[in-house]
Amino acid sequence: MTRYQHLANLLAERIEQGLYRAGEKLPSVRTLSQEHGVSISTVQQAYQTLETLRLITPQPRSGYFVATRKAQPPVPAMSRPVQRPVEVTQWDQVLEMLEARRDKDIILFGGGSPDVTQPSLKPLWREMSRVVQHHPTEILSYDELAGRRELREQVARLMLDGGSTVTADDIVITSGCHSGLSIALLAVCKPGDIVAVESPTFYGTMQLLRGFGIKAIEIPTDPESGISIEALELALEQWPIKGVILVPNCNNPLGFIMPEARKRAVLALAQRHDIVIFEDDIYGELAMEYPRPRTIHSFDIDGRVLMCSSFTKTVAPGLRVGWIVPGRYRDRVMHMKYASSGTTPPATQLAVATFVREGHYHRHVRRMRQIYQSNMETYTCWLRQYFPCGICVTRPLGGYMLWVELPEVVDMVCVAKQLCRLKIQVAPGSLFSASGKYRNCLRINCALPTTEKHRLVMEQLGEAVHRAIDQDANA
Amino acid sequence: MTRYQHLANLLAERIEQGLYRAGEKLPSVRTLSQEHGVSISTVQQAYQTLETLRLITPQPRSGYFVATRKAQPPVPAMSRPVQRPVEVTQWDQVLEMLEARRDKDIILFGGGSPDVTQPSLKPLWREMSRVVQHHPTEILSYDELAGRRELREQVARLMLDGGSTVTADDIVITSGCHSGLSIALLAVCKPGDIVAVESPTFYGTMQLLRGFGIKAIEIPTDPESGISIEALELALEQWPIKGVILVPNCNNPLGFIMPEARKRAVLALAQRHDIVIFEDDIYGELAMEYPRPRTIHSFDIDGRVLMCSSFTKTVAPGLRVGWIVPGRYRDRVMHMKYASSGTTPPATQLAVATFVREGHYHRHVRRMRQIYQSNMETYTCWLRQYFPCGICVTRPLGGYMLWVELPEVVDMVCVAKQLCRLKIQVAPGSLFSASGKYRNCLRINCALPTTEKHRLVMEQLGEAVHRAIDQDANA
């Protein structure tokens, strides 16, 4: 983080905490410069940043003042999905979104890509290049089915941070977390089975269920504490549910971290009803809290948690390196890995193993956590600024996604189509429901840098939402 | 090919054609040197090669003589598998074989790896390294779901050689041919469905069926002309078969190329019974004939052939780059690609695309075809030399696999276990049958170079087979 960003964050915090009140004059540029031992231009840049965020306003010949702000938007309420198993729909919409990646000019606010432009990734490119030059025969050959041992050893080390004690032999490398979850589902379920999911749930996960003919039952989920254990229990009593897919840490799209007591409670429930937990920890390492939160897997004693994760969000999607800790399902998982994707390419595995072993991974993730946190604050400010009153916005504890609930009258599916023509891609909430609920919701990818270009896009987005409301009022 | 190899091949051919007869003295080293305009040492090396192959024998102070040979072993007869749908077994044995890859000292005669040590692959490493350095952001990002257009364009060009006129839009990139076939099966079949296969069939394909709960019906197959169309028709009349998996070009494990008339006939049969053809062309580019044989896909008019292939056998398995031409099943294939493996890594795709575009691919494949052909001849000689009389051996028209049928009393599953202790891995025939038939058969990977080390292994293999026969005689 540069000096001016550091200073801007500090001032933003003080404003947030009420140390500087709305309307109050801020210290002069010269005063701050002396106080913090930084240059005049650094202070000016910091003030400009806060101005962009609409946290402060300049008054000619008087200096900067704390802006009179709208209140922090409230968090959405517990979701209320349909309470019965349904076949997942929305594939055409998801495919449309995926195909937007073809167009290099489109701004992908709807996708899940992390920021892969940071210099802290440079050691990874270097390592990939080195691997190719030094181990050509090795990287051109078939890999072990479970994946490279060097990598599995590093993954085992990382998993200690989430509270899980596993060895390299307990881990199966997969082509990303998505493929991991796919293998886990194929290993446990057959077509016609029912699997419970949080509601909303990442559309990619939903489409896995659809692909394999598995029905989804969406369970009410609180944007701050996660899946309703009571509602899950009711569903388990009523339906022959095979398992539940959970993203308990830095949930996608809601951003919550399930409190530890609730993680234990959901595991106990799974034990009582003898169901499987598919735990997706893909964003877990991007939690703001330190040390990072524990996984449900770390509490598991009878191998019923199949944990899936990857380096997709923490490092880069193009690597396609993830893993499963399959617990008691190892044999089936090995078979389904062989049947569904076969072995994984050795080159990227070797490069990532070194990236982790030499400490570059931890440095990079530390940096990204700060960037994403700061981005989410900025995007929340922009939402407050450009979107209508009455919206609800999540307050994520990690990851880089914001979930926005708009007034009921807004149909984001229609708005998304209009935005598409402006080369802006957004993810309407309906993609995150098996039955197409949440049409008035929206997920925003805050990994996109908070540049002027993206501020303008958020402004356009806000205008489109305002228009939708006006049209409804005139109809 | 070096000069001495060229000369050795020439002499071997003349012996094969009877121009030099058994027992006849061969020209002196000096004569051949003058005749062919090569050095004395080149001729000596050629003669040594032929000696290793037991085609000629040296007689002190007299020169080289054509060896008195056993006759060329006959080709196995048409297979006679069980004629009803069965669940595929043998997974434990396949897993054991896959796990042998962990041990770096083991000699993998049972696997399917090509030779990745040839210098004609160097441009590929260079390109991989260049891609990493010049397009870091691109290779770290999510790819298009269908795969990189640059690569799909090159694949479309390659497919012209097999008679198929397709565009980049007709191709979906997959993580190897195995994953392609997996996606194709998931797109068309559901658990409980029946799929017909050639018998024997590659064990990886069999295990896909098992993984997805699909039953296999093995169809009698001729080692020179392919699947019995008559037997397939009978099966189609008797059972509700969804499709048939065929490897019509350079079949694995039998090595045949289906004559064009039979390719058309099997397609017509598929049309009449409205079933799908899953065509696996992974070895097709390694056919000895020029131009390469046509695919069944090239005759398809109604999109019922799902063609799968990859660069695994022609370039390198570690790339994990393959493709599907999904015909009328494109939508389902896109969904199942998303559901089963997700997107594919961009780095290897870009590197291979350049490798093909710049002509390195064709140069490399030309070279490998010659090497594999020459290897298979040598391995056949060794089989003749070290194995008991009465064996049958295929005469492949491409690829690099030999299929050996031993006397009925030999149980290759037991022999394989003994060999395992000697760090030699072989693939018993039973892996290539859904119900574990062909226990007296064996597939040999002739991509392993014909070095003294491998000659010794073949000798050990022959001894183990001899022992098995002796034990049976004494029992």
Side-chain angles (χ1 to χ4, degrees):
Chain A
M1 203 182 291
T2 58
R3 278 163 187 250
Y4 84 86
Q5 280 171 330
H6 185 80
L7 181 59
N9 280 357
L10 190 84
L11 294 169
E13 264 173 37
R14 289 186 181 173
I15 294 170
E16 199 67 44
Q17 290 159 358
L19 297 176
Y20 299 124
R21 303 231 180 118
E24 190 178 328
K25 187 172 184 299
L26 287 155
S28 73
V29 171
R30 186 171 305 274
T31 313
L32 272 188
S33 152
Q34 285 165 354
E35 202 176 295
H36 292 274
V38 295
S39 69
I40 294 284
S41 73
T42 299
V43 178
Q44 280 167 335
Q45 275 186 289
Y47 272 158
Q48 272 156 22
T49 305
L50 295 176
E51 195 191 331
T52 311
L53 294 176
R54 316 274 163 136
L55 285 174
I56 63 173
T57 44
Q59 288 191 8
R61 274 184 294 272
S62 316
Y64 284 93
F65 290 77
V66 178
T68 320
R69 296 183 305 145
K70 296 189 196 169
Q72 177 90 339
V75 171
M78 168 91 80
S79 67
R80 293 171 56 194
V82 180
Q83 280 289 279
R84 60 182 162 74
V86 294
E87 275 168 26
V88 175
T89 57
Q90 320 294 316
W91 165 242
D92 294 341
Q93 290 80 344
V94 170
L95 183 61
E96 222 168 77
M97 260 199 36
L98 294 172
E99 303 228 312
R101 284 183 197 151
R102 281 195 215 172
D103 185 343
K104 297 291 167 234
D105 300 326
I106 210 160
I107 296 173
L108 301 170
F109 263 116
S113 288
D115 179 351
V116 294
T117 62
Q118 297 297 325
S120 46
L121 281 179
K122 271 189 189 156
L124 181 71
W125 322 340
R126 271 203 303 274
E127 193 49 35
M128 281 176 76
S129 192
R130 206 192 63 80
V131 161
V132 173
Q133 277 155 8
H134 289 73
H135 306 280
T137 307
E138 213 167 329
I139 65 161
L140 294 178
S141 300
Y142 280 114
D143 187 27
E144 268 184 61
L145 185 55
R148 296 293 301 202
R149 174 161 288 272
E150 296 93 320
L151 177 62
R152 286 184 281 129
E153 279 165 2
Q154 295 307 317
V155 169
R157 273 183 54 198
L158 290 182
M159 285 194 59
L160 280 174
D161 299 337
S164 294
T165 311
V166 295
T167 71
D169 293 325
D170 300 319
I171 293 164
V172 178
I173 300 298
T174 59
S175 173
C177 183
H178 188 74
S179 166
L181 196 53
S182 160
I183 291 167
L185 284 169
L186 282 170
V188 175
C189 303
K190 57 182 193 309
D193 280 353
I194 305 168
V195 164
V197 294
E198 295 150 338
S199 186
T201 276
F202 166 51
Y203 52 79
T205 304
M206 288 287 194
Q207 294 306 322
L208 285 183
L209 298 178
R210 179 191 166 105
F212 303 141
I214 300 167
K215 286 186 184 152
I217 179 160
E218 296 178 75
I219 306 295
T221 301
D222 182 78
E224 293 188 299
S225 62
I227 198 165
S228 159
I229 292 166
E230 301 69 25
L232 178 59
E233 185 154 23
L234 279 175
L236 288 173
E237 281 160 9
Q238 207 175 347
W239 309 98
I241 291 171
K242 210 60 173 276
V244 56
I245 304 176
L246 296 172
V247 191
N249 292 319
C250 316
N251 177 272
N252 173 16
L254 296 176
F256 60 78
I257 293 177
M258 253 178 119
E260 219 166 276
R262 295 179 67 83
K263 285 175 183 160
R264 287 180 194 271
V266 80
L267 179 61
L269 182 61
Q271 282 165 344
R272 274 204 307 284
H273 287 263
D274 194 21
I275 63 161
V276 171
I277 294 182
F278 303 95
E279 181 176 21
D280 174 347
D281 190 52
I282 194 168
Y283 291 93
E285 298 263 301
L286 293 175
M288 290 169 194
E289 67 187 53
Y290 181 85
R292 61 147 287 172
R294 286 185 65 164
T295 57
I296 299 178
H297 177 269
S298 71
F299 302 110
D300 185 26
I301 47 164
D302 57 1
R304 71 174 62 247
V305 179
L306 285 104
M307 211 206 76
C308 305
S309 192
S310 78
F311 293 105
T312 298
K313 307 301 180 185
T314 48
V315 184
L319 295 172
R320 306 279 76 217
V321 177
W323 63 92
I324 309 184
V325 191
R328 62 162 88 150
Y329 295 93
R330 188 169 194 280
D331 287 353
R332 279 288 295 162
V333 160
M334 287 288 274
H335 195 186
M336 293 321 300
K337 176 176 179 183
Y338 187 59
S340 78
S341 64
T343 57
T344 17
T348 37
Q349 291 186 64
L350 287 170
V352 178
T354 308
F355 188 71
V356 178
R357 194 180 59 245
E358 294 186 351
H360 306 297
Y361 170 82
H362 276 109
R363 265 192 294 281
H364 175 69
V365 169
R366 248 195 326 271
R367 178 193 182 89
M368 297 319 294
R369 270 195 291 258
Q370 285 180 337
I371 290 177
Y372 294 144
Q373 177 165 9
S374 152
N375 282 7
M376 284 196 289
E377 280 165 17
T378 305
Y379 277 97
T380 306
C381 286
W382 287 340
L383 281 168
R384 213 150 60 187
Q385 198 68 29
Y386 305 128
F387 275 57
C389 291
I391 63 168
C392 298
V393 182
T394 50
R395 290 187 199 140
L397 300 177
Y400 45 76
M401 297 297 185
L402 284 178
W403 178 259
V404 187
E405 198 179 290
L406 303 163
E408 284 283 352
V409 297
V410 181
D411 183 347
M412 272 311 299
V413 179
C414 296
V415 175
K417 279 194 186 124
Q418 294 158 20
L419 290 167
C420 208
R421 277 176 237 129
L422 304 172
K423 300 267 185 195
I424 303 168
Q425 178 227 47
V426 296
S430 52
L431 302 184
F432 299 79
S433 159
S435 54
K437 258 186 80 87
Y438 313 124
R439 284 178 84 97
N440 63 322
C441 296
L442 169 70
R443 190 192 70 175
I444 292 176
N445 180 351
C446 304
L448 276 72
T450 53
T451 54
E452 179 59 12
K453 172 176 150 192
H454 292 133
R455 189 191 63 73
L456 279 170
V457 171
M458 287 297 286
E459 207 170 343
Q460 287 178 288
L461 230 162
E463 281 162 16
V465 169
H466 273 291
R467 260 199 314 277
I469 294 174
D470 294 346
Q471 275 164 9
D472 179 78
N474 297 336
Chain B
M1 200 182 294
T2 59
R3 277 163 188 248
Y4 83 87
Q5 280 171 330
H6 184 79
L7 182 59
N9 280 357
L10 190 84
L11 293 170
E13 264 173 36
R14 289 185 181 173
I15 293 170
E16 198 68 44
Q17 291 159 355
L19 297 178
Y20 298 123
R21 303 231 180 116
E24 191 179 326
K25 189 174 182 300
L26 288 154
S28 72
V29 170
R30 186 171 306 272
T31 311
L32 271 189
S33 152
Q34 285 165 355
E35 201 177 295
H36 293 273
V38 296
S39 70
I40 295 283
S41 73
T42 299
V43 179
Q44 281 168 335
Q45 275 186 290
Y47 272 159
Q48 270 155 24
T49 306
L50 295 175
E51 195 191 331
T52 312
L53 293 175
R54 314 279 164 134
L55 286 174
I56 63 172
T57 44
Q59 288 192 5
R61 274 183 295 272
S62 314
Y64 285 95
F65 290 77
V66 179
T68 319
R69 298 181 304 144
K70 296 187 196 171
Q72 176 90 337
V75 171
M78 168 89 81
S79 68
R80 293 172 56 196
V82 180
Q83 279 288 276
R84 59 181 162 74
V86 294
E87 275 169 23
V88 175
T89 56
Q90 319 295 316
W91 166 242
D92 294 342
Q93 290 80 344
V94 170
L95 183 60
E96 222 167 79
M97 258 197 39
L98 295 172
E99 302 227 312
R101 285 183 198 150
R102 282 195 214 174
D103 185 343
K104 297 289 167 234
D105 300 327
I106 211 160
I107 296 173
L108 300 171
F109 264 117
S113 288
D115 180 349
V116 294
T117 62
Q118 298 297 324
S120 46
L121 282 179
K122 271 188 189 158
L124 181 69
W125 322 341
R126 271 203 304 273
E127 194 49 35
M128 283 176 76
S129 194
R130 206 191 63 80
V131 161
V132 172
Q133 276 155 9
H134 290 72
H135 307 280
T137 307
E138 214 167 331
I139 65 161
L140 293 178
S141 301
Y142 280 114
D143 186 28
E144 269 183 60
L145 185 55
R148 297 293 302 202
R149 174 160 289 271
E150 297 93 320
L151 178 61
R152 286 184 282 129
E153 279 164 1
Q154 294 308 316
V155 168
R157 272 183 53 198
L158 289 182
M159 284 194 58
L160 280 175
D161 298 337
S164 294
T165 310
V166 295
T167 71
D169 291 325
D170 300 320
I171 294 163
V172 178
I173 299 298
T174 59
S175 173
C177 182
H178 189 73
S179 168
L181 196 53
S182 161
I183 290 167
L185 285 168
L186 282 169
V188 175
C189 303
K190 55 182 196 307
D193 280 353
I194 304 168
V195 164
V197 294
E198 294 150 340
S199 186
T201 276
F202 167 51
Y203 52 80
T205 304
M206 288 288 193
Q207 295 305 322
L208 285 183
L209 297 177
R210 179 192 166 104
F212 302 142
I214 300 167
K215 284 185 186 153
I217 178 160
E218 296 177 76
I219 307 294
T221 300
D222 182 78
E224 293 188 298
S225 62
I227 197 165
S228 158
I229 292 166
E230 301 68 29
L232 178 60
E233 185 155 23
L234 278 175
L236 288 173
E237 281 161 10
Q238 206 176 348
W239 309 97
I241 291 170
K242 209 63 172 274
V244 57
I245 304 176
L246 296 172
V247 191
N249 293 319
C250 315
N251 178 270
N252 173 17
L254 295 176
F256 60 77
I257 293 177
M258 253 177 120
E260 220 166 277
R262 296 178 68 81
K263 285 177 183 160
R264 288 181 193 269
V266 80
L267 180 61
L269 183 61
Q271 283 164 342
R272 272 202 310 282
H273 288 264
D274 195 21
I275 62 162
V276 171
I277 293 181
F278 303 95
E279 181 176 21
D280 173 348
D281 190 53
I282 193 169
Y283 289 94
E285 298 262 300
L286 294 174
M288 290 168 195
E289 67 187 54
Y290 181 84
R292 61 147 288 171
R294 287 185 64 163
T295 56
I296 299 179
H297 177 270
S298 72
F299 302 109
D300 185 25
I301 47 163
D302 57 1
R304 71 174 62 248
V305 178
L306 285 103
M307 211 206 76
C308 304
S309 193
S310 79
F311 294 105
T312 298
K313 307 302 181 185
T314 48
V315 185
L319 296 172
R320 304 280 79 217
V321 177
W323 63 92
I324 309 185
V325 191
R328 62 162 89 151
Y329 295 93
R330 189 170 192 280
D331 287 351
R332 279 288 295 161
V333 160
M334 287 289 274
H335 195 186
M336 293 321 300
K337 177 177 178 182
Y338 187 59
S340 79
S341 63
T343 57
T344 18
T348 37
Q349 291 186 64
L350 287 171
V352 178
T354 309
F355 188 71
V356 177
R357 194 181 57 245
E358 295 186 349
H360 305 298
Y361 170 82
H362 276 110
R363 265 192 294 281
H364 176 69
V365 169
R366 247 193 329 268
R367 179 194 181 89
M368 298 317 295
R369 271 197 290 258
Q370 286 180 335
I371 291 176
Y372 294 143
Q373 176 165 9
S374 151
N375 282 6
M376 285 197 287
E377 279 165 18
T378 305
Y379 276 97
T380 305
C381 285
W382 286 341
L383 281 169
R384 212 151 61 187
Q385 197 69 30
Y386 305 127
F387 276 57
C389 292
I391 63 169
C392 297
V393 182
T394 50
R395 288 184 201 141
L397 300 177
Y400 45 77
M401 297 297 186
L402 284 178
W403 178 258
V404 186
E405 197 178 291
L406 303 164
E408 285 282 351
V409 297
V410 180
D411 183 347
M412 271 312 298
V413 179
C414 296
V415 175
K417 279 195 184 123
Q418 295 159 18
L419 290 167
C420 208
R421 277 175 236 131
L422 304 172
K423 299 268 184 196
I424 302 168
Q425 178 228 46
V426 296
S430 52
L431 302 184
F432 299 80
S433 159
S435 54
K437 258 185 81 88
Y438 312 125
R439 285 178 82 96
N440 63 321
C441 296
L442 169 70
R443 190 191 70 175
I444 293 175
N445 180 350
C446 304
L448 275 72
T450 52
T451 54
E452 179 60 11
K453 174 177 149 190
H454 292 133
R455 189 191 64 73
L456 279 170
V457 170
M458 286 296 286
E459 206 169 343
Q460 286 178 290
L461 229 162
E463 280 163 16
V465 169
H466 273 293
R467 261 199 313 276
I469 293 174
D470 294 347
Q471 274 163 10
D472 179 79
N474 297 336

